[in-house]
Amino acid sequence: IMTNAHVVEGADDLIVTLADKRELRGKVVGSDRRTDVAVVKVEATGLTPVQIGNTANLKAGQWVMAIGSPFGLENSVTSGIVSALQRDTGDYLPFIQTDVAINPGNSGGPLINMAGEVVGVNSQIYSRSGGFMGISFSIPIDEAMRVADQLRTTGTVTRGRIGVQI
């Protein structure tokens, strides 16, 4: 299961609740604070994997939806449009900016296009109050998958560096 690193950070025990109300114990396989991606492993049968989309096909103005549990309200779906791609927020990652209502509890949930494909992982909001103010950010799924593959393989993310310092 892919989620956000800030969701599992500092957790001693993880309980994953499925839509059918099953509760499964989870174990963090690895997490990467820089991209805010984490992978959690659960032992379960009968789970259907999501379809992964292609963020190269995503365009500003396209409809998307977010699934999550804002404020503990399970199975919540909100929709909106892609506002911008590769939004620079000062972090290392170019985000997908949307106007989809993302609130506390939506973090780590999928951003889905109208074909039912996951195109992002909901990660951040812009807020002065702590609640949704019309701007939300998701990690592009292609970047999240690259990070998740490394986390599943080694438990960490390795990045190249140039031996130059300014």
Side-chain angles (χ1 to χ4, degrees):
I1 297 172
M2 188 184 315
T3 189
N4 291 132
H6 77 264
V7 169
V8 299
E9 186 174 36
D12 293 326
D13 292 317
L14 293 176
I15 303 294
V16 177
T17 304
L18 304 179
D20 64 6
K21 307 291 187 214
R22 283 188 289 167
E23 290 187 345
L24 308 171
R25 289 218 172 267
K27 177 183 179 226
V28 176
V29 173
S31 68
D32 181 52
R33 291 182 80 191
R34 184 173 178 182
T35 56
D36 198 23
V37 172
V39 174
V40 174
K41 181 178 180 175
V42 295
E43 297 293 333
T45 58
L47 299 180
T48 304
V50 294
Q51 291 293 106
I52 302 299
N54 184 349
T55 52
N57 297 333
L58 199 59
K59 297 189 181 6
Q62 285 184 314
W63 283 91
V64 289
M65 60 184 158
I67 299 176
S69 300
F71 305 109
L73 302 169
E74 60 191 37
N75 300 322
S76 176
V77 178
T78 55
S79 66
I81 62 167
V82 173
S83 305
L85 299 168
Q86 300 197 5
R87 175 65 72 200
D88 182 2
T89 62
D91 295 321
Y92 300 106
L93 184 67
F95 287 99
I96 300 167
Q97 179 186 327
T98 70
D99 70 350
V100 176
I102 304 289
N103 283 296
N106 279 111
S107 291
L111 183 71
I112 300 174
N113 65 17
M114 291 298 105
E117 302 165 326
V118 177
V119 292
V121 179
N122 303 319
S123 179
Q124 300 177 14
I125 60 172
Y126 173 80
S127 179
R128 292 185 178 151
S129 66
F132 176 68
M133 295 184 71
I135 299 175
S136 55
F137 301 100
S138 297
I139 304 160
I141 196 62
D142 53 342
E143 178 64 23
M145 291 299 289
R146 276 194 291 274
V147 170
D149 287 343
Q150 286 189 53
L151 291 174
R152 277 194 302 273
T153 304
T154 65
T156 61
V157 177
T158 304
R159 295 181 176 84
R161 280 178 76 156
I162 295 177
V164 176
Q165 187 172 9
I166 298 175

